[in-house]
């Protein structure tokens, strides 16, 4: 009985091998119609009896190349119109199949089944020739909002630089475009909320001198997210952004906020001074003013913020609002202390006088912020309301109505 079962097993295996071999033969016979041939060979790519043969993968890649070449040719013919979806799909599959062919062949060389690879050089040359079109494929997909395809095409382009098949091709290994394309891959991955892909490509893209800040921003946002929160890596990304792209407000603002939250105001002031020495932008001056305010150096803050007003080149409304804060919040401190005193205490009257004095000084700054940014009520709304309550009830009632309370 065992002999019969064994014989049946051998017969079944032989039939299976024969079936998949015939699939490959049939696909070859239909090579004049590469679309049809590509469909025929698909089962052979997943069956171990043929998938372990590099020639199977090469043949599948050849069919995709033929499809690609046919569509690509239409782009150069008068009145020709290519099916770009078909073109780009075959391009991606060509990379997949040829690279798998190389992988299988290299495994056979490693096991001693083959003395040396025969296909790598030719396949690498073919892929290197069509590789630039991956950027067009990625751009078209990205602009169409198809971020999944954009990530696929940009990713294939970037991954090629470290793929074994291109080990002897310096033009691919040392491709200076990779960091730029990695930025695009990062943006696509970010749109998909694919954190793993963001981390992978952002660590390549951040090295681009002009566009690398985009990758670092996405990287920082990933490490700040609930799904991949890592405060150490977040801070490292922010600091790297400040170092590499000091003109980018995102990194400087986040770093200064981090210093403020940790109470490290002196360290923050030292760093912002270094940044301003090279780039005295209104935003960086505003950050310095905020830091001085947090350090209770109100006169220093007022002087710094006044330079923004004098420059009149951005952040003017914000500067006026923060100048108001330099008087309003000290007034709030006095008002809080006064609330704990009996009204017949001589210090209470002194406190009320001081409150009105500070509020009176804050008032014109907030009113100027309102004039410049009437829609940004966060800069002036609640502050003026409180000041008018204390100083002028008629103005309070008018503002309360304006704010819709």
């Amino acid at each position: 009985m065992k002999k019969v079962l064994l014989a049946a097993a051998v017969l079944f295996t032989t039939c299976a091998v024969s079936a998949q071999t015939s699939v490959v033969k049939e696909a070859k016979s239909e090579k004049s119609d590469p679309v049809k041939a590509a469909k025929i060979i698909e089962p052979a790519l997943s069956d171990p009896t043929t998938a372990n043969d590099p020639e199977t993968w090469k043949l599948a890649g050849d069919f995709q190349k033929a499809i690609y070449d046919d569509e690509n040719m239409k782009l150069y013919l008068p009145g020709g119109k290519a099916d770009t979806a078909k073109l780009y799909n075959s391009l991606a599959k060509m990379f997949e199949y040829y690279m798998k062919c190389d992988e299988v062949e290299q495994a056979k060389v490693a096991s001693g089944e083959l003395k040396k690879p025969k296909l790598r050089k030719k396949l690498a040359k073919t892929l290197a020739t069509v590789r630039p079109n991956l950027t067009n494929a990625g751009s078209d997909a990205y602009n169409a909002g198809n971020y999944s395809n954009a990530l696929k095409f940009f990713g294939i382009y970037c991954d090629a630089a470290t793929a074994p098949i291109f080990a002897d091709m310096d033009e691919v290994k040392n491709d200076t475009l990779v960091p730029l394309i990695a930025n695009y891959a990062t943006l696509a991955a970010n749109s998909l909320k694919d954190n793993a892909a963001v981390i992978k490509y952002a660590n390549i893209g951040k090295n681009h001198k002009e566009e690398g800040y985009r990758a670092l921003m996405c990287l920082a946002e990933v490490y700040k997210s609930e799904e991949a929160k890592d405060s150490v890596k977040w801070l490292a990304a922010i600091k790297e952004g400040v170092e590499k792209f000091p003109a980018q407000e995102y990194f400087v603002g986040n770093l200064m906020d981090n210093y403020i939250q940790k109470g490290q105001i002196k360290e923050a002031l030292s760093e912002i001074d270094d940044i301003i020495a090279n780039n005295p932008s209104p935003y960086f001056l505003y950050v310095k003013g905020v830091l001085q305010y947090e350090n209770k150096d109100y006169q220093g803050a007022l002087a710094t913020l006044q330079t923004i007003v004098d420059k009149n080149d951005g952040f003017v409304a914000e500067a006026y609002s923060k100048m108001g804060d330099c008087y309003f919040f000290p007034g709030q401190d006095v008002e809080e202390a006064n609330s704990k005193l009996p009204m017949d205490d001589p210090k209470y009257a002194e406190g009320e006088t001081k409150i009105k004095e500070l509020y009176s000084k804050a008032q014109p700054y907030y009113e100027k912020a309102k004039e410049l940014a009437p829609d940004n009520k966060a800069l002036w709304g609640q502050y003026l309301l409180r000041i008018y309550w204390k100083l002028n009830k008629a103005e309070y009632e008018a503002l309360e109505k304006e704010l819709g309370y």
Side-chain angles (χ1 to χ4, degrees):
M1 184 65 181
K2 283 186 178 180
K3 288 183 179 180
V4 173
L5 289 174
L6 288 171
V10 170
L11 178 62
F12 178 79
T13 302
T14 302
C15 289
V17 172
S18 177
Q20 292 309 316
T21 301
S22 66
V23 165
V24 174
K25 287 181 179 179
E26 183 184 356
K28 284 182 180 179
S29 70
E30 297 289 349
K31 66 180 181 180
S32 59
D33 184 349
V35 174
K36 183 178 180 181
K39 289 181 180 178
I40 293 171
I41 203 170
E42 281 181 5
L45 302 179
S46 56
D47 191 287
T49 58
T50 45
N52 197 36
D53 183 352
E55 290 293 342
T56 303
W57 293 100
K58 180 184 181 299
L59 189 61
D62 289 345
F63 296 147
Q64 296 300 328
K65 182 179 182 300
I67 296 170
Y68 172 86
D69 288 342
D70 287 346
E71 291 302 320
N72 193 50
M73 181 61 68
K74 294 175 185 177
L75 296 173
Y76 301 96
L77 294 175
K81 189 175 181 181
D83 182 339
T84 53
K86 189 176 179 183
L87 175 76
Y88 296 148
N89 184 57
S90 62
L91 177 61
K93 285 188 174 181
M94 196 195 317
F95 266 82
E96 179 186 351
Y97 296 159
Y98 279 166
M99 291 174 76
K100 183 65 177 180
C101 171
D102 180 68
E103 178 188 324
V104 173
E105 186 179 57
Q106 292 295 322
K108 288 185 177 294
V109 172
S111 68
E113 190 174 341
L114 289 177
K115 288 185 179 180
K116 60 180 182 179
K118 297 183 294 182
L119 302 172
R120 169 174 282 192
K121 189 173 182 180
K122 181 180 179 181
L123 297 183
K125 186 177 180 181
T126 298
L127 291 177
T129 301
V130 299
R131 179 169 168 260
N133 215 11
L134 287 166
T135 63
N136 296 328
S139 297
D140 286 357
Y142 191 93
N143 292 335
N146 189 339
Y147 302 118
S148 180
N149 271 354
L151 176 58
K152 176 175 71 175
F153 294 125
F154 289 142
I156 293 171
Y157 185 94
C158 295
D159 294 346
T162 54
I165 193 172
F166 298 111
D168 297 323
M169 299 195 73
D170 290 343
E171 62 268 37
V172 177
K173 288 195 303 179
N174 303 324
D175 181 2
T176 56
L177 271 180
V178 169
L180 177 62
I181 305 304
N183 269 284
Y184 301 152
T186 302
L187 293 173
N190 188 62
S191 296
L192 295 168
K193 300 189 184 304
D194 185 340
N195 291 340
V198 168
I199 293 169
K200 176 182 178 180
Y201 293 111
N203 277 298
I204 302 170
K206 69 181 184 179
N207 296 311
H208 192 270
K209 290 182 179 180
E210 286 79 34
E211 299 294 320
Y213 71 92
R214 301 181 190 276
L216 276 171
M217 283 181 184
C218 291
L219 192 61
E221 288 299 311
V222 164
Y223 289 135
K224 190 171 71 173
S225 69
E226 289 299 324
E227 298 81 6
K229 184 172 286 186
D230 189 320
S231 59
V232 174
K233 290 182 179 179
W234 174 83
L235 185 56
I238 292 297
K239 285 186 173 180
E240 187 173 358
V242 171
E243 181 182 343
K244 289 182 175 179
F245 307 101
Q248 290 297 326
E249 298 170 358
Y250 172 88
F251 301 111
V252 176
N254 272 281
L255 183 60
M256 295 304 123
D257 282 344
N258 184 68
Y259 280 133
I260 290 171
Q261 289 168 18
K262 292 181 177 179
Q264 298 173 333
I265 307 300
K266 289 183 179 179
E267 292 88 338
L269 281 166
S270 176
E271 189 141 0
I272 198 67
D273 279 338
D274 291 340
I275 292 169
I276 289 172
N278 295 312
N279 183 10
S281 75
Y283 174 73
F284 294 147
L285 287 167
Y286 176 73
V287 169
K288 179 177 180 178
V290 170
L291 290 170
Q292 289 171 309
Y293 165 82
E294 292 289 338
N295 204 35
K296 299 189 183 301
D297 177 10
Y298 299 124
Q299 291 308 308
L302 287 165
T304 299
L305 295 163
Q306 185 63 47
T307 61
I308 298 173
V309 172
D310 294 341
K311 279 176 175 262
N312 195 28
D313 189 29
F315 281 87
V316 178
E318 290 82 357
Y320 273 121
S321 178
K322 187 53 66 176
M323 291 166 88
D325 290 354
C326 290
Y327 294 109
F328 179 83
F329 284 99
Q332 287 268 284
D333 291 340
V334 177
E335 193 164 11
E336 184 180 350
N338 232 31
S339 67
K340 299 173 183 177
L341 298 174
M343 295 182 70
D344 59 356
D345 189 319
K347 289 184 178 180
Y348 181 85
E350 291 176 14
E352 284 294 297
T353 301
K354 186 65 177 176
I355 293 165
K356 290 179 180 179
E357 177 190 337
L358 289 168
Y359 282 2
S360 294
K361 288 182 178 180
Q363 179 178 335
Y365 291 117
Y366 289 131
E367 288 175 339
K368 191 66 178 178
K370 180 187 178 187
E371 176 188 330
L372 294 173
D375 295 330
N376 192 352
K377 296 178 176 61
L379 293 178
W380 51 267
Q382 291 296 324
Y383 311 123
L384 278 178
L385 202 63
R386 181 61 190 168
I387 290 169
Y388 290 158
W389 172 262
K390 196 74 176 177
L391 303 180
N392 189 317
K393 290 296 192 293
E395 287 182 311
Y396 170 82
E397 290 172 0
L399 182 58
E400 187 179 41
K401 186 177 181 181
E402 180 183 340
L403 294 174
Y405 295 152

